[in-house]
């Protein structure tokens, strides 16, 4: 980690980092598109390029009706039990906590939906705080959500890192002046993510352990 001290905490994005929610998101997006826009192929590939952002922001960027949010959220809740956790994530989180690191989630989802999903997949107890994009003034790529997580964890930007699979995650981390870590095990555009200049790159969840030794309080 160059000349930085080992971290005291880790802030994670949710989708594409902790859980593999892409199939469920694809189903929910397609249903919402069909109900609100009408027949035809839903532009999920374009939607996928904006992941990390708050859903209403993505709709505005894509020029789609904001009314798509209601059926998208409804279907996301309905299908939540079909979302798998990435292999290695539960063990990673347990080890980080055993090493004394403080953990939070900062996600493009709304807070209630993120906490509900983490509860369904059994990961909610691993985190001290789960913060959604509806709970800050400006969602990613603004720094607000990372700064809010740092404040809740009582950590400075130099004491933590943000792990994300989207350019917006890295941009939010960098704007908050904290260590930006790229996670490459989901359906991310690797070349685009690497071009964004992460401070570290992880090929699989366990790679994070090399950056997070046992905490020595300072």
């Amino acid at each position: 980690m160059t000349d930085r001290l080992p971290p005291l905490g880790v802030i994670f994005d949710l989708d594409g980092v902790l859980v593999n929610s892409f199939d469920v998101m694809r189903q929910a997006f397609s249903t919402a598109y069909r109900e609100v826009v009408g027949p035809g192929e839903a532009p999920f590939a374009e939607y996928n390029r904006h992941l990390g952002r708050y859903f209403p922001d993505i709709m505005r960027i894509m020029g789609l009706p904001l009314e798509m949010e209601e059926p998208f959220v409804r279907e996301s809740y309905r299908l939540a039990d079909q979302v798998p956790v990435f292999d290695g994530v539960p063990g990673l989180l347990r080890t980080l906590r055993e090493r004394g690191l403080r953990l939070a989630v900062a996600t493009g989802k709304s807070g209630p939906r993120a906490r509900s999903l983490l509860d369904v997949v059994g990961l909610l107890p691993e985190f001290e705080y789960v913060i959604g994009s509806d709970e800050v003034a400006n969602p990613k790529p603004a720094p607000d959500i990372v700064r809010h997580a740092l404040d809740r964890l009582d950590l400075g930007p130099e004491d933590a890192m943000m792990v994300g699979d989207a350019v917006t995650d890295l941009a939010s981390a960098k704007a908050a002046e904290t260590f930006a870590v790229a996670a490459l095990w989901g359906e991310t555009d690797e070349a685009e993510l690497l071009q964004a200049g992460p401070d570290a790159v992880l090929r699989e969840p366990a790679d994070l352990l090399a950056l997070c030794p046992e905490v020595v309080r300072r």
Side-chain angles (χ1 to χ4, degrees), residues 1 5-10 12 17-18 87-103 126 161 163 179 181-183 185 200-215:
M1 291 186 60
L5 291 170
L8 303 178
V10 182
F12 291 90
V17 175
L18 301 174
D87 289 345
V89 163
L92 166 68
L93 298 177
R94 284 194 300 271
T95 301
L96 291 174
R97 292 183 68 211
E98 288 167 359
R99 291 182 180 183
L101 284 98
R102 305 186 66 186
L103 307 181
E126 304 293 345
M161 56 176 56
V163 181
F179 202 74
V181 181
W185 51 83
V201 176
L202 309 177
R203 296 283 171 182
E204 57 185 51
D207 292 345
L208 183 60
L209 295 176
L211 301 179
C212 298
E214 188 93 21
V215 166

Side-chain angles (χ1 to χ4, degrees), residues 29-35 37-44:
F29 185 80
S30 296
T31 298
Y33 186 87
R34 184 172 61 251
E35 290 185 10
V37 178
E41 184 176 353
F44 185 77

Side-chain angles (χ1 to χ4, degrees), residues 13-96:
D13 179 45
L14 175 54
D15 299 298
V17 175
L18 301 174
V19 298
N20 188 358
S21 51
F22 295 102
D23 285 344
V24 162
M25 281 195 292
R26 190 177 288 110
Q27 291 181 60
F29 185 80
S30 296
T31 298
Y33 186 87
R34 184 172 61 251
E35 290 185 10
V36 175
V37 178
E41 184 176 353
F44 185 77
E46 182 182 354
Y47 173 81
N48 204 31
R49 289 198 294 271
H50 300 296
L51 287 184
R53 294 179 181 269
Y54 192 29
F55 188 86
D57 290 344
I58 299 177
M59 295 300 93
R60 294 185 186 98
I61 291 169
M62 294 180 65
L64 291 173
L66 293 178
E67 289 79 9
M68 282 181 60
E69 183 177 22
E70 188 280 326
F72 179 83
V73 169
R74 181 197 71 223
E75 290 300 292
S76 297
Y77 274 112
R78 185 178 70 83
L79 299 169
D81 62 352
Q82 299 180 25
V83 175
V85 176
F86 280 111
D87 289 345
V89 163
L92 166 68
L93 298 177
R94 284 194 300 271
T95 301
L96 291 174

